[in-house]
Tab-separated table of all heavy atoms in Angstrom:
chain	number	residue	atom	x	y	z
A	247	GLN	N	125.315	123.303	91.834
A	247	GLN	CA	125.072	124.400	92.788
A	247	GLN	C	124.260	123.949	94.031
A	247	GLN	O	123.504	123.029	93.942
A	247	GLN	CB	124.232	125.462	92.057
A	247	GLN	CG	124.904	126.030	90.804
A	247	GLN	CD	124.111	127.056	90.113
A	247	GLN	OE1	123.528	128.047	90.720
A	247	GLN	NE2	123.926	126.938	88.819
A	248	ASN	N	124.528	124.682	95.129
A	248	ASN	CA	123.799	124.383	96.306
A	248	ASN	C	122.509	125.272	96.303
A	248	ASN	O	122.608	126.506	96.333
A	248	ASN	CB	124.619	124.714	97.557
A	248	ASN	CG	123.911	124.268	98.871
A	248	ASN	OD1	122.718	124.173	98.961
A	248	ASN	ND2	124.690	124.154	99.894
A	249	ILE	N	121.373	124.592	96.216
A	249	ILE	CA	120.116	125.309	96.065
A	249	ILE	C	119.402	125.655	97.356
A	249	ILE	O	118.411	126.374	97.312
A	249	ILE	CB	119.152	124.543	95.154
A	249	ILE	CG1	118.752	123.219	95.805
A	249	ILE	CG2	119.762	124.263	93.760
A	249	ILE	CD1	117.685	122.414	95.068
A	250	ASP	N	119.944	125.197	98.439
A	250	ASP	CA	119.286	125.445	99.727
A	250	ASP	C	119.457	126.899	100.083
A	250	ASP	O	120.541	127.465	100.029
A	250	ASP	CB	119.875	124.550	100.841
A	250	ASP	CG	119.112	124.700	102.146
A	250	ASP	OD1	118.085	124.010	102.298
A	250	ASP	OD2	119.494	125.592	102.965
A	251	ALA	N	118.372	127.569	100.432
A	251	ALA	CA	118.311	129.004	100.712
A	251	ALA	C	119.235	129.416	101.877
A	251	ALA	O	119.666	130.550	101.948
A	251	ALA	CB	116.906	129.492	100.934
A	252	ASP	N	119.436	128.437	102.824
A	252	ASP	CA	120.286	128.719	103.950
A	252	ASP	C	121.718	128.161	103.794
A	252	ASP	O	122.498	128.251	104.719
A	252	ASP	CB	119.626	128.104	105.198
A	252	ASP	CG	118.200	128.568	105.364
A	252	ASP	OD1	118.000	129.805	105.437
A	252	ASP	OD2	117.286	127.675	105.365
A	253	GLY	N	121.994	127.612	102.605
A	253	GLY	CA	123.313	127.047	102.336
A	253	GLY	C	123.657	125.874	103.139
A	253	GLY	O	124.826	125.513	103.282
A	254	LYS	N	122.725	125.024	103.559
A	254	LYS	CA	123.038	123.844	104.313
A	254	LYS	C	123.734	122.811	103.383
A	254	LYS	O	123.549	122.808	102.135
A	254	LYS	CB	121.779	123.225	104.913
A	254	LYS	CG	121.031	122.221	104.113
A	254	LYS	CD	120.098	121.318	104.845
A	254	LYS	CE	119.537	120.161	104.057
A	254	LYS	NZ	118.743	119.230	104.801
A	255	ASP	N	124.590	122.030	103.925
A	255	ASP	CA	125.263	120.983	103.227
A	255	ASP	C	124.326	119.884	102.771
A	255	ASP	O	123.558	119.384	103.591
A	255	ASP	CB	126.353	120.318	104.048
A	255	ASP	CG	127.532	121.249	104.370
A	255	ASP	OD1	127.699	122.199	103.563
A	255	ASP	OD2	128.190	121.088	105.392
A	256	LEU	N	124.303	119.628	101.487
A	256	LEU	CA	123.367	118.603	100.930
A	256	LEU	C	124.050	117.265	100.886
A	256	LEU	O	125.302	117.134	100.882
A	256	LEU	CB	122.869	119.087	99.537
A	256	LEU	CG	122.171	120.374	99.484
A	256	LEU	CD1	121.701	120.743	98.103
A	256	LEU	CD2	120.889	120.341	100.401
A	257	PRO	N	123.268	116.201	100.869
A	257	PRO	CA	123.853	114.837	100.872
A	257	PRO	C	124.879	114.584	99.777
A	257	PRO	O	124.671	115.065	98.666
A	257	PRO	CB	122.657	113.933	100.786
A	257	PRO	CG	121.509	114.719	101.341
A	257	PRO	CD	121.812	116.112	100.933
A	258	ASP	N	125.817	113.813	100.019
A	258	ASP	CA	126.842	113.471	99.006
A	258	ASP	C	126.100	112.680	97.854
A	258	ASP	O	125.235	111.879	98.089
A	258	ASP	CB	127.926	112.517	99.600
A	258	ASP	CG	128.818	113.268	100.584
A	258	ASP	OD1	128.830	114.536	100.530
A	258	ASP	OD2	129.505	112.575	101.373
A	259	GLY	N	126.477	113.022	96.668
A	259	GLY	CA	125.974	112.348	95.513
A	259	GLY	C	124.693	112.803	94.995
A	259	GLY	O	124.184	112.332	93.915
A	260	LEU	N	124.066	113.806	95.599
A	260	LEU	CA	122.750	114.241	95.249
A	260	LEU	C	122.714	114.803	93.851
A	260	LEU	O	121.820	114.502	93.018
A	260	LEU	CB	122.183	115.242	96.257
A	260	LEU	CG	120.679	115.400	96.389
A	260	LEU	CD1	120.036	114.104	96.822
A	260	LEU	CD2	120.366	116.568	97.355
A	261	ALA	N	123.650	115.656	93.557
A	261	ALA	CA	123.700	116.324	92.273
A	261	ALA	C	123.972	115.404	91.096
A	261	ALA	O	123.283	115.540	90.064
A	261	ALA	CB	124.839	117.376	92.246
A	262	ASP	N	124.768	114.378	91.325
A	262	ASP	CA	125.063	113.400	90.265
A	262	ASP	C	123.988	112.328	90.169
A	262	ASP	O	124.007	111.515	89.198
A	262	ASP	CB	126.372	112.732	90.543
A	262	ASP	CG	127.514	113.692	90.538
A	262	ASP	OD1	127.469	114.679	89.740
A	262	ASP	OD2	128.536	113.513	91.241
A	263	GLY	N	123.059	112.274	91.060
A	263	GLY	CA	122.057	111.171	91.072
A	263	GLY	C	120.728	111.515	90.317
A	263	GLY	O	119.772	110.692	90.285
Side-chain angles (χ1 to χ4, degrees):
Q247 300 179 48
N248 187 336
I249 63 173
D250 187 84
D252 307 302
K254 90 163 191 176
D255 291 335
L256 300 180
D258 290 343
L260 205 62
D262 295 329

